[in-house]
Amino acid sequence: MPSGGAVRQPKYQRIAAALKAAIEAGEYGPGDRLPGENDLMATYGVARMTARQALGVLQSEGLTEARKGAGVFVREFRRIRRRGIERLAEGVWGEGRSIWAADTEDREPVVELLSVTEEAAPQAVAAVLGLPAGSPVCVRRRRFLLDGKPVMHATSYLDAALVAGTPITEPDTGPGGIYARLAELGRKPARFREEVRSRMPATDEAASLGLAAGTPVVLVVRTAFAADGRVVEVNEMVLDASAYVLEYEFDAP
């Protein structure tokens, strides 16, 4: 064992770290081809599997993408900086802007509406909304794309009785989205809570988000509260972990 009890990194991790350092230093820019397995084998004197594992680390972290028959390239996609507090300010949705567009800076976001349905509330969702189990809820499912790449799925649940006959039940909710329409109903969101965790994706999630093997997802569950404390929306989001930076800035208590 190395002195001081330090554990020596496996060779593939050391190679991956060297490649990441080269990318960060600008030796390989967006769209550039990285050394292939044969190059890494020759440079570091390792087996093919070790070289393959090293390249796999970069791909699983979202830094590179493999192109069949061409090699491994530095990913051109810029990560999304999701500012978890600022994006939910009333100054965003209250002025008719999309909180999703607030994340994307100068890039053109695309929202694919997958469905708007009325369904029986899942037990956990009904409990958060303060509804009896199986109560009808309006369910809005969307997929979000940036630079042509799917990066997130979101499913919103709202009390069907509250939003009946409003644009929330229509494909186009209008300027400011769901929260602006809730405000018109006298149920303006006054407080939010987000719970964040991560896991490996289900098969359908990996396919829909186009995830490379080994790429995890981040789960964000947002609960929106009206001023009287009533929950007016539960939003379950599945994010491509390699596409996002989650940023939270707030004053010290």
Side-chain angles (χ1 to χ4, degrees), residues 197-203 205 215-219 237-239 241:
R197 57 192 177 94
S198 64
R199 61 166 168 77
M200 297 309 295
T203 302
E205 292 169 338
T215 303
V217 290
V218 175
L219 308 180
M237 292 160 274
V238 180
L239 287 63

Side-chain angles (χ1 to χ4, degrees), residues 152-168:
M152 177 177 70
H153 274 282
T155 303
S156 290
Y157 299 90
L158 305 99
D159 181 359
L162 173 64
V163 302
T166 73
I168 292 174

